[in-house]
Amino acid sequence: MSVVFEKTKGLTEKEFHYCPGCTHGIIHRLVAEVLEEMDLLGDAIGVAPVGCAVLAYDYFNCDMHEAAHGRAPAVATGVKRALPEKTVFAYQGDGDLASIGTAEIVHAAHRGENITVIFVNNAIYGMTGGQMAPTTMIGQRTTTSPFGRNAEQTGAPIRIAEMLATIEGASFIERTSVHNPVHIRKAKKAIRTAFECQQNRKGFSMVEVLSTCPTNWGMSPLASLGWVAENMIPYYPLGNFRNPDKEA
Amino acid sequence: MAKARGNVFFDNDRCKGCELCTTVCPVDIITIDRNTINKKGYHPAHVTQPEKCIACGNCALVCPDLVITIERVA
Ligand SMILES: Cc1ncc(C[n+]2csc(CCOP(=O)(O)OP(=O)(O)O)c2C)c(N)n1
Ligand code: SF4
Ligand code: SF4
Ligand code: SF4
Ligand SMILES: [Mg+2]
């Protein structure tokens, strides 16, 4: 008899507070599994965001730090520079990273900080009740775009992975999704590669993960997975945008 | 090659009844148990014909709440 799947030691026993079917839980698990498999739990320091993942410090079974809204890459920079032998990651939502924290993420990449960022893009501000984010899709109804997002008024959704990939200091940039088992496996592989990049001192790494917010999207968890596949992936293409091992 | 056989366990009180595990099972044995309410107040997922599990891991992979453990028997 062999164990095919059991809860990773990278997570504490604490049960997630996330809404039913919210894929933040899947993404937490993937990060924790990678840290366990790379034997980094004793060495990793994570930085939690402001957003639904604000309590991530209760869930990851490693040292954790909280940051002000959008400032996780700046806090992670300080931690990494003070303790360069530690593995440092930030876990951020799209409101956190792509709105209030745009300067911090751009300049962390620009400086080539040797940190890893997990960017959870669910196209909305989940925690505060479903306001529009810069990543909200055209036509998507939110509490602050009740008739659907309109590009004339608020621009078109921002593609963070593509934008950061133009920055020389960015070493590994990939966009993934967790809407089905195949993509969950691929997302885990990308997260592992990002942490390996940091271990090999290659500089800034980020994995964007397309995620759901069934509660504020106003859909069932299953319908939300379908919505990622049908509406988000065509606009936010999955794939690698920068990889230190593939450069000429 | 003989098909793998699995034992799948659900930690019922962790389950939030989200149904994500119910559509990924290749042998279609996971459903929501409408006759049960767990500690959290949800109808939890359960396995209807456990002997059919092939230990593929899909259900545990999509579960956001670490409800499921899987063993391979043969
Ligand atoms: C300085 C500051 N401004 C605004 C807020 C309110 N606020 C809390 S979370 C949040 C957005 C969260 O959205 P996101 O980062 O996408 O995370 P999600 O909840 O969707 O995972 C905002 C605007 C705050 N806490 N601090
Ligand atoms: S509000 Fe949205 S992002 Fe936050 S836990 Fe609920 S489903 Fe997840
Ligand atoms: S491990 Fe695979 S076969 Fe077994 S219950 Fe889960 S999804 Fe079904
Ligand atoms: S995916 Fe997990 S939480 Fe959701 S119904 Fe299945 S076992 Fe329960
Ligand atoms: Mg969000």
Side-chain angles (χ1 to χ4, degrees):
Chain A
M1 194 122 60
S2 61
V3 174
V4 176
F5 186 97
E6 63 183 344
K7 188 177 92 50
T8 167
K9 294 182 179 63
L11 292 171
T12 64
E13 287 303 315
K14 187 116 182 160
E15 292 180 26
F16 295 145
H17 69 286
Y18 299 113
C19 305
C22 172
T23 49
H24 263 302
I26 298 177
I27 302 165
H28 278 31
R29 191 189 77 225
L30 298 182
V31 173
E33 285 176 353
V34 166
L35 292 176
E36 184 190 8
E37 286 163 22
M38 290 176 74
D39 201 17
L40 289 173
L41 288 173
D43 262 329
I45 303 174
V47 183
V50 171
C52 279
V54 66
L55 301 176
Y57 49 71
D58 279 342
Y59 305 138
F60 286 109
N61 204 2
C62 61
D63 284 339
M64 294 292 292
H65 204 305
E66 178 54 51
H69 199 18
R71 275 54 177 176
V75 173
T77 295
V79 173
K80 184 72 182 184
R81 288 192 177 204
L83 300 167
E85 300 312 317
K86 299 290 180 187
T87 298
V88 180
F89 70 96
Y91 184 104
Q92 300 185 262
D94 49 329
D96 196 71
L97 182 147
S99 189
I100 194 170
T102 321
E104 279 73 16
I105 195 69
V106 167
H107 288 288
H110 158 233
R111 294 187 305 269
E113 288 305 335
N114 196 26
I115 59 173
T116 299
V117 177
I118 309 300
F119 169 38
V120 180
N121 180 0
N122 60 5
I124 206 156
Y125 291 2
M127 184 198 200
T128 42
Q131 293 81 6
M132 196 192 91
T135 41
T136 292
M137 305 305 299
I138 296 295
Q140 186 182 338
R141 289 171 193 266
T142 69
T143 53
T144 49
S145 60
F147 306 109
R149 182 177 185 174
N150 173 347
E152 273 176 41
Q153 228 179 13
T154 55
I158 188 167
R159 294 187 181 98
I160 291 290
E162 287 84 340
M163 182 180 90
L164 294 184
T166 66
I167 298 175
E168 280 308 311
S171 177
F172 180 82
I173 306 282
E174 189 155 318
R175 184 184 289 116
T176 62
S177 173
V178 289
H179 68 286
N180 67 28
V182 171
H183 285 281
I184 292 170
R185 288 193 177 88
K186 284 188 185 170
K188 181 171 173 183
K189 209 169 159 208
I191 291 168
R192 180 164 179 130
T193 311
F195 278 110
E196 285 169 355
C197 184
Q198 181 178 163
Q199 281 205 306
N200 297 329
R201 297 168 202 279
K202 295 271 172 81
F204 181 87
S205 52
M206 186 198 73
V207 179
E208 176 172 343
V209 189
L210 302 183
S211 188
T212 63
C213 179
T215 300
N216 290 302
W217 291 0
M219 281 174 219
S220 72
L222 278 173
S224 299
L225 297 184
W227 199 82
V228 169
E230 283 153 36
N231 293 289
M232 289 182 79
I233 293 175
Y235 188 86
Y236 293 120
L238 306 182
N240 183 270
F241 296 93
R242 222 171 158 103
N243 187 338
D245 298 328
K246 280 193 188 138
E247 267 156 36
Chain B
M1 199 180 86
K3 256 198 183 155
R5 262 273 297 119
N7 281 335
V8 59
F9 305 101
F10 285 65
D11 184 353
N12 278 347
D13 281 326
R14 286 187 80 107
C15 177
K16 295 175 184 164
C18 73
E19 305 187 323
L20 295 193
C21 57
T22 62
T23 59
V24 296
C25 178
V27 292
D28 206 10
I29 56 174
I30 309 176
T31 58
I32 297 295
D33 181 2
R34 307 264 168 221
N35 297 317
T36 305
I37 296 177
N38 70 8
K39 264 192 203 161
K40 288 191 169 79
Y42 297 111
H43 292 308
H46 74 157
V47 162
T48 48
Q49 292 156 287
E51 67 286 352
K52 283 195 178 169
C53 173
I54 57 169
C56 73
N58 277 358
C59 53
L61 215 53
V62 301
C63 175
D65 285 284
L66 289 305
V67 173
I68 305 168
T69 305
I70 305 162
E71 290 172 353
R72 189 187 301 274
V73 183

